[in-house]
Amino acid sequence: MSKKWYMLIWLLLVTAGVLASQENPFQQTGGVITLYFEVSSEELPEEEKGKLDAVGKYLEERPEEKIVVEGNAAPFDSEKLRYNMGYERAANVKNYLLEQYQISENQIQVRSEGSKRSAGFVEGQDNDAYREDRTVRIYFPSEVVAGSWDEYRFALRANLLRWATLTPDIGAEWRINRDWGITAGVSWTGWKIQDFRYALWEVMPEVRYYLGKEKRGYIGVMFKAGEFNYRFSNPGVQGLILGGGISGGYQLPLTERLALDFHAALGYLWADCEEYELVGGKGVLKQRENRHWIGPVHAGISLVWKLF
């Protein structure tokens, strides 16, 4: 593989890593961020603004994302007053985000649960016992849960079918959001046993759209380019290959961080082939032709390692 291809692959992986490093602030909190309020107060405490700043930056960078802001209250006073207190707390959180960050009002849904989440009033308990009731909870509408496979941002990949043919294969995926992902993989090998020759390199970028509630299945568009040199008998064939197609697959979780990705693609391949004979240890060109293929253009079972 030429130096320019190595440089292109390196730049692609570095760029994906930098972009993927923009962590989702909800991942480490089980899908919920909780803000705590003072007794009988709807004012946003200063010490809680740091949590909101992470949310605000995240929404500002991703205008397609939305959150639900839910206000809660302790089980005192009338039901109407508890509802109003919860709503005012949630509204103040929304107003803070809109004032401090360039985000759309449509990205934030406000609601009040009053004291519905409270265990109820208990005689003799002090105000500290109701701390969990004096809250605002921030959710993704999709109810993202830490460790689920639809929320990872960056993962490494290895096509096991390639490795089974003694062809090293590595790749990476940048998950833009729950729906969209970009993958890039590279395969290469070059070994020779007497007159037997098996050598190739190949790069394959892909754009994916994930389907379903759990976002494990997907469809996409892929492209591949590379060079090959196969000689299993005399003559041998070498050349350039270009193509692409419609891809699809399914990710099967194995653990919190590992999964198997079953993937395939149908499309078109073009190859500039040179057929050669080995004469005196040197390749002699026999003929050259362009070949075309419509049908399966890719298949794999990849081990996926979710980094973050």
Side-chain angles (χ1 to χ4, degrees), residues 160-174:
L160 302 181
L161 295 187
R162 287 284 199 183
W163 284 92
T165 62
L166 304 181
T167 306
D169 176 278
I170 60 171
E173 179 179 10
W174 169 39

Side-chain angles (χ1 to χ4, degrees), residues 4-306:
K4 65 180 181 180
W5 283 106
Y6 281 116
M7 182 63 69
L8 177 61
I9 295 166
W10 181 81
L11 289 173
L12 179 62
L13 294 177
V14 169
T15 301
V18 170
L19 292 171
S21 65
Q22 304 173 25
E23 291 255 17
N24 182 332
F26 293 84
Q27 287 182 0
Q28 305 303 320
T29 60
V32 182
I33 287 182
T34 303
L35 310 176
Y36 295 93
F37 285 70
E38 298 297 327
V39 178
S40 300
S41 174
E42 70 274 6
E43 297 299 322
L44 178 63
E46 287 293 327
E47 60 270 22
E48 298 295 87
K49 291 182 179 179
K51 299 177 184 178
L52 274 184
D53 289 336
V55 178
K57 291 176 183 177
Y58 181 79
L59 293 176
E60 193 172 56
E61 294 169 356
R62 298 166 177 80
E64 78 282 357
E65 291 284 3
K66 297 181 180 181
I67 60 172
V68 174
V69 179
E70 175 193 279
N72 299 277
F76 304 122
D77 303 313
S78 68
E79 182 177 347
K80 181 178 180 180
L81 289 175
R82 295 195 296 264
Y83 176 87
N84 289 341
M85 175 63 75
Y87 190 87
E88 288 299 322
R89 286 170 173 167
N92 284 340
V93 168
K94 177 179 180 179
N95 290 337
Y96 176 86
L97 291 172
L98 293 177
E99 291 170 2
Q100 299 297 320
Y101 298 94
Q102 299 296 317
I103 58 180
S104 169
E105 187 172 355
N106 294 330
Q107 290 179 264
I108 307 173
Q109 176 187 343
V110 171
R111 72 186 186 200
S112 175
E113 291 294 318
S115 60
K116 292 180 181 180
R117 295 188 181 277
S118 173
F121 176 76
V122 178
E123 189 70 33
Q125 285 187 336
D126 59 17
N127 287 323
D128 290 340
Y130 300 99
R131 182 172 182 268
E132 294 296 327
D133 299 334
R134 304 190 303 271
T135 60
V136 164
R137 292 183 173 91
I138 302 175
Y139 305 89
F140 276 118
S142 53
E143 298 179 356
V144 173
V145 177
S148 65
W149 269 89
D150 61 359
E151 44 74 348
Y152 70 91
R153 280 300 188 192
F154 187 73
L156 296 179
R157 308 166 50 82
N159 189 336
L160 302 181
L161 295 187
R162 287 284 199 183
W163 284 92
T165 62
L166 304 181
T167 306
D169 176 278
I170 60 171
E173 179 179 10
W174 169 39
R175 193 72 173 263
I176 302 172
N177 54 39
R178 294 189 74 239
D179 296 324
W180 292 95
I182 297 175
T183 71
V186 57
S187 302
W188 72 98
T189 192
W191 47 276
K192 180 180 178 182
I193 301 176
Q194 296 181 347
D195 291 340
F196 183 87
R197 175 78 170 172
Y198 174 62
L200 69 85
W201 67 262
E202 185 177 282
V203 293
M204 194 184 82
E206 179 186 15
V207 178
R208 294 178 171 183
Y209 180 76
Y210 285 87
L211 306 169
K213 182 178 180 181
E214 295 182 335
K215 302 296 181 181
R216 293 180 182 174
Y218 57 86
I219 58 173
V221 179
M222 53 77 66
F223 170 79
K224 66 163 56 181
E227 294 178 322
F228 61 91
N229 187 343
Y230 303 142
R231 188 175 67 250
F232 305 116
S233 60
N234 213 7
V237 180
Q238 65 181 10
L240 173 70
I241 189 169
L242 294 171
I246 304 299
S247 59
Y250 182 83
Q251 288 188 350
L252 177 66
L254 301 177
T255 68
E256 182 178 337
R257 291 191 176 273
L258 295 176
L260 286 178
D261 187 344
F262 301 87
H263 47 99
L266 297 174
Y268 167 76
L269 288 180
W270 169 84
D272 179 18
C273 298
E274 295 180 347
E275 189 175 300
Y276 65 94
E277 289 185 346
L278 201 62
V279 179
K282 295 183 179 180
V284 177
L285 181 64
K286 186 177 180 182
Q287 65 175 348
R288 182 174 183 175
E289 63 177 346
N290 291 330
R291 298 179 183 177
H292 308 271
W293 168 261
I294 297 177
V297 295
H298 174 75
I301 301 175
S302 292
L303 181 64
V304 181
W305 178 27
K306 180 185 68 171

